[in-house]
Amino acid sequence: MYARLLASAAALALAAGTAFAQQTDITIGMQLEPPNLDPTGGAAAAIDEVVYANLFEGLTRYQSDGSIAPALAESWEISEDGLVYTFTLRSGVTFHDGTTLTAEDVKFSLDRARAEDSTNAQKALFAGIADVAVVDDLTVQVALSSPNGGFLTNLAWGDAVIVAPESVEQAATAPVGTGPFRFTDWVQGDRVELERNPDYWGEAPALETATFKFISDPTAAFAAMMAGDIDAFPGYPAPETLVQFEADPRFQLLIGSTEGETILSTNNKSEALSDIRVRQALAHAINRQEIIDGAMFGYGTPIGTHFAPHHPDYVDLTGQSDHDPEKARALLAEAGYGDGLTLTLKLPPPSYARRGGEIIAAQLRAVGIETEISNLEWAQWLEQVFRGKDFDLTIVSHTEPMDINIYARPDYYFQYDNPDFQALMADLDVATDPGERSEILKTAQTVIADDYVNGYLFQLARTGVANAKIEGLWLNAPTQANDLSGVRWVE
């Protein structure tokens, strides 16, 4: 009997030890695998979803409520004319390779991002920087060519994280940052593994290790969650099964908002689509609610322009492109396409795109527009559509925060070139008065809606599911991130 009790006690101790180990590990599901791990050299949202606030940090950072907070810069001063920002860096910050963060690294990062040959996907964020000067090891001055009321927000983007010249060349495959976790392994096609950074300058995270597991198939994602192979799936790709998780006490739902304007992106230089009447016809052929219900199972908010409905400056312009198939057919006939039109529709992997694409194809067919659908992997989409501009239509969610300024870039992938809009964005850059900025943003939303630049579908909801014993995951997504710094297991 005594031996049996000892054996039972040992078994309990072993079980307790196993449970304890699990409480400091986490496996996060993601539908898309990042093409690389360098947020300063790639456009894919999946990059930031792994590295933002985990591996890499900027001078400032987004918090879960969308506010901007100090990060590697503990404080800053702004000159009276709004042209010079003097940043004081935190002392004692080291990169994961043991080198010390200094103002030279900040200068290197910002100069690299704004350089003529920069491959930064958001190079425009840094266009207003006239000079970056090192004052001392912990002080850096950034001079702007004109005041920019959004500059501190720009510095919070993943594209603005601070990297070191000694390790930047390996950032794509073995990133070295200053964050609370450090990179350990990337098994391409499967997962990225991180471990706690023992030398982190801030509060140590509760998690010891984190694994980002890539599961593109919605059915497989459901099975992995149910089996406990995945602890949390913040961007869960099968919203039709959320009701099953809601009824299961082992799980919690994470339903919130994102910055993701989901749009039927339109190549404005395509022969047919360069005609505004054809773009108008597309807009009136679309039934937004049918797409939200069919592709997202009711999760999503209709939009009529490229702006988040939860933003205080949002203008509801959905009525301007209401579902009106008869009007769509008349516009096509007026544009010379009364006998029909065929367009390419290239779809990336997310379920909102693949499922939404089938629904939109049927809606367009009803007004005389046929679509040739191509299902692309993420790397193919980036190469053909985003970089190559070889498409007529595509569906993608633009998850960057406050990104209406992309419409001021004529070489951006949907190739919209409107000098008046570009002048509006130039005015926004120098405006510091909140009221003035609000009016400019409202006007900007109206201009792109009037030009029917894209087909505006819905604001992507944050539909996630997690183990009920996990706390600290972001409910909303003010930027593209799975910030694990405050995540922990609770009993």
Side-chain angles (χ1 to χ4, degrees):
M1 176 66 72
Y2 181 67
R4 189 180 303 162
L5 287 172
L6 282 178
S8 299
L12 285 170
L14 182 60
T18 303
F20 180 78
Q22 290 173 337
Q23 291 178 348
T24 56
D25 299 346
I26 197 168
T27 300
I28 301 291
M30 287 175 51
Q31 188 177 22
L32 297 179
E33 179 174 16
N36 66 69
L37 297 175
D38 179 6
T40 68
I47 300 173
D48 276 354
E49 287 174 7
V50 172
V51 305
Y52 187 89
N54 295 324
L55 289 173
F56 286 111
E57 299 171 301
L59 293 176
T60 61
R61 59 156 294 168
Y62 275 95
Q63 298 194 106
S64 61
D65 63 358
S67 62
I68 304 301
L72 293 178
E74 65 178 10
S75 63
W76 50 82
E77 294 180 359
I78 307 172
S79 61
E80 285 190 18
D81 59 8
L83 292 176
V84 179
Y85 287 68
T86 302
F87 294 95
T88 300
L89 306 182
R90 299 184 189 276
S91 62
V93 177
T94 58
F95 286 94
H96 299 148
D97 61 2
T99 58
T100 301
L101 171 80
T102 70
E104 292 286 355
D105 297 307
V106 175
K107 176 176 171 58
F108 168 78
S109 299
L110 296 181
D111 284 348
R112 174 174 173 263
R114 68 192 184 97
E116 189 173 338
D117 61 351
S118 169
T119 58
N120 193 297
Q122 300 296 338
K123 187 178 177 180
L125 292 174
F126 314 98
I129 296 177
D131 183 58
V132 183
V134 172
V135 178
D136 56 44
D137 279 354
L138 294 178
T139 312
V140 62
Q141 278 190 342
V142 180
L144 306 182
S145 53
S146 57
N148 182 347
F151 185 59
L152 293 173
T153 300
N154 291 352
L155 293 179
W157 282 48
D159 309 81
V161 298
I162 303 305
V163 293
E166 300 92 344
S167 56
V168 71
E169 294 302 321
Q170 68 188 68
T173 55
V176 174
T178 59
F181 296 92
R182 59 189 183 189
F183 172 83
T184 55
D185 194 20
W186 182 7
V187 181
Q188 295 201 8
D190 185 41
R191 65 190 185 276
V192 167
E193 298 176 352
L194 313 180
E195 67 180 6
R196 182 193 291 162
N197 173 14
D199 302 315
Y200 184 53
W201 59 266
E203 184 178 348
L207 299 172
E208 290 183 2
T209 62
T211 300
F212 289 91
K213 181 84 172 172
F214 310 119
I215 304 176
S216 60
D217 179 64
T219 303
F222 172 74
M225 279 301 309
M226 278 293 182
D229 297 332
I230 302 294
D231 298 314
F233 216 124
Y236 184 65
E240 70 275 17
T241 60
L242 287 174
V243 65
Q244 292 173 254
F245 292 109
E246 188 175 22
D248 191 326
R250 294 178 299 158
F251 302 101
Q252 58 179 311
L253 297 190
L254 305 170
I255 308 299
S257 63
T258 77
E259 293 299 311
E261 291 81 26
T262 307
I263 62 177
L264 179 66
S265 295
T266 304
N267 189 339
N268 282 242
K269 286 193 175 178
S270 171
E271 182 180 355
L273 297 171
S274 63
D275 189 325
I276 189 173
R277 294 169 297 185
V278 177
R279 300 198 302 273
Q280 280 181 282
L282 286 172
H284 288 298
I286 292 168
N287 183 330
R288 296 184 183 94
Q289 196 58 52
E290 191 175 283
I291 299 165
I292 293 170
D293 291 341
M296 302 305 297
F297 296 84
Y299 293 101
T301 306
I303 56 173
T305 188
H306 197 111
F307 213 74
H310 54 260
H311 193 284
D313 294 324
Y314 175 71
V315 181
D316 184 357
L317 298 167
T318 51
Q320 190 167 313
S321 51
D322 59 326
H323 183 226
D324 190 339
E326 194 171 315
K327 187 173 184 178
R329 283 188 285 268
L331 284 162
L332 284 173
E334 186 182 323
Y337 297 101
D339 294 331
L341 172 65
T342 300
L343 301 171
T344 63
L345 176 58
K346 297 189 174 182
L347 303 174
S351 53
Y352 67 73
R354 298 280 173 89
R355 291 170 174 166
E358 296 292 340
I359 296 168
I360 287 175
Q363 293 175 351
L364 296 183
R365 188 177 303 115
V367 302
I369 300 174
E370 292 294 328
T371 53
E372 297 174 350
I373 293 180
S374 299
N375 288 332
L376 305 180
E377 292 307 309
W378 191 239
Q380 291 176 299
W381 187 91
L382 288 169
E383 188 61 35
Q384 290 184 32
V385 177
F386 189 76
R387 298 191 191 96
K389 306 176 181 69
D390 179 17
F391 77 107
D392 291 320
L393 302 171
T394 187
I395 300 173
V396 70
S397 191
H398 282 258
T399 54
E400 299 86 358
M402 274 293 292
D403 59 350
I404 196 169
N405 61 352
I406 58 179
Y407 289 78
R409 306 178 197 172
D411 61 345
Y412 201 63
Y413 78 103
F414 42 69
Q415 301 192 91
Y416 171 63
D417 190 356
N418 181 341
D420 291 337
F421 188 88
Q422 293 156 25
L424 267 179
M425 290 299 98
D427 291 342
L428 182 66
D429 281 344
V430 300
T432 55
D433 176 72
E436 183 183 359
R437 289 179 64 84
S438 176
E439 287 306 310
I440 293 172
L441 287 170
K442 290 174 180 176
T443 301
Q445 293 171 62
T446 303
V447 169
I448 60 174
D450 289 346
D451 283 349
Y452 294 87
V453 183
N454 292 306
Y456 300 105
L457 306 178
F458 59 88
Q459 194 74 11
L460 190 68
R462 174 86 157 178
T463 53
V465 60
N467 187 296
K469 294 183 178 181
I470 294 173
E471 69 174 18
L473 289 166
W474 285 10
L475 187 64
N476 299 315
T479 191
Q480 307 156 129
N482 289 309
D483 180 0
L484 301 180
S485 60
V487 174
R488 67 184 67 246
W489 290 86
V490 294
E491 288 301 325

